Amino acid sequence: MGYTILIADDEPEIRNLLRLYLENENYQIIEAKDGREALSLLREKKSDLCLLDIMMPEMDGYHVLQELRKESNIPVIILSAKDADSEKILGLNLGADDYLAKPFNPLEAVARVNSNIRRFYALGTREKDQMSAEIKVKDLTLDPDACALYKNGELIELSSVEYRIMELFMRHPGKVFTKQQIYEQGWGEAYIVADNNIMVCISKLRAKLDDDPAAYIRTIRGLGYRLER
C-alpha cells in the first residue's frame, strides 16, 4: 500500500502484535515507546496514520494529540484501556478520528487502519484534476491537495473528520445536509444514532471559523446544516 503507520505504545507486546498484522498488509511501521518520542517521530518522519496509546510515560497520548493537531491532520486512532464514553468523547474532541479500546482484536485494528487510510487519502484517487482544484467560499479557501482550510490566508487547524465535513460543505455551499449525510462523509460509517458526535464537531468547526456561531454554518431546524454562501 505504501503507507507508513506510527505505533505509539509503551507496551512492546502491543507494538509487536500490531507490527506483525500491519506489515502483513504491506504497511511500513515506525514505533515509539513514549509520548515524547512519538511526537518527535511524527515531526521528523512522514507518517500517514498514528495508532496512539493514551497512558504513556514522558507525555500522555492526549498531549501528543493536542500538539500534533497544531501541525498535522493525519488520521489518529486512539488505543486505550479506558473505554468510558467520557474518555472516548475527550479523545474525539481533541482531534482523534477513531477510538479502539484495549484489549482489542488485532484484525479489528487492521480494519480500522484500512478504513481511516481509505477515507482520508481517497482524494488522491478520485477525478484528480477536478477534486484537487482550490475551492473558495466567502473568505474561506479549501486546498484539497494539502487537505487544508484557510481563512483570509491563515491556516485553520482541523482534524481529518472536520476537514472532510468542511469539504462536503464547501463543494456545495447553500445546500442543506442531513445529519446522516454529514456523519457518513465525516466518519465514513453508516449512520445509526450519532447526534452528539455531529453536534460536538459542528460546534468546534463554528468556533474555529468565527466568533459568531452562525456566521458560516447555519442550523436548519428539523433538517440539518448548511454552509452560508
Side-chain angles (χ1 to χ4, degrees), residues 47-223:
S47 298
D48 299 298
L49 180 144
C50 178
L51 287 160
L52 183 64
D53 184 31
I54 293 302
M55 302 301 292
M56 291 188 294
E58 301 293 333
M59 180 186 290
D60 67 38
Y62 290 137
H63 284 93
V64 173
L65 181 57
Q66 284 180 305
E67 292 300 313
L68 175 63
R69 282 294 175 248
K70 296 176 182 178
E71 308 165 19
S72 172
N73 65 343
I74 66 167
V76 174
I77 302 176
I78 285 181
L79 306 174
S80 179
K82 298 181 177 181
D83 61 354
D85 287 344
S86 59
E87 295 291 337
K88 296 178 182 179
I89 291 171
L90 175 59
L92 294 171
N93 284 348
L94 289 175
D97 300 277
D98 208 343
Y99 195 106
L100 192 57
K102 297 178 180 179
F104 53 81
N105 184 326
L107 293 176
E108 180 183 359
V110 170
R112 288 176 182 265
V113 167
N114 289 341
S115 175
N116 277 275
I117 287 286
R118 183 170 58 249
R119 291 203 308 265
F120 189 71
Y121 297 102
L123 285 174
T125 63
R126 302 198 312 258
E127 301 175 359
K128 183 65 176 177
D129 291 341
Q130 178 182 354
M131 299 303 293
S132 64
E134 285 190 350
I135 305 168
K136 297 181 183 294
V137 178
K138 299 174 74 171
D139 54 0
L140 300 177
T141 301
L142 185 110
D143 182 351
D145 280 342
C147 293
L149 178 69
Y150 301 88
K151 180 179 179 181
N152 291 323
E154 295 291 325
L155 177 66
I156 298 176
E157 297 167 5
L158 301 177
S159 71
S160 58
V161 170
E162 292 168 346
Y163 172 82
R164 287 191 293 270
I165 291 173
M166 282 305 300
E167 182 196 10
L168 177 69
F169 281 145
M170 290 188 66
R171 290 192 184 279
H172 308 279
K175 179 178 178 178
V176 178
F177 288 96
T178 65
K179 291 178 179 178
Q180 177 177 346
Q181 290 172 317
I182 293 170
Y183 185 85
E184 291 179 353
Q185 169 73 12
W187 283 268
E189 300 172 352
Y191 176 81
I192 301 176
V193 177
D195 287 4
N196 188 60
N197 285 347
I198 296 170
M199 290 173 63
V200 168
C201 191
I202 294 294
S203 177
K204 290 178 64 179
L205 277 171
R206 284 171 164 165
K208 291 178 179 183
L209 293 173
D210 199 88
D211 292 335
D212 177 4
Y216 290 87
I217 301 174
R218 184 174 296 276
T219 301
I220 309 302
R221 191 174 298 277
L223 294 175

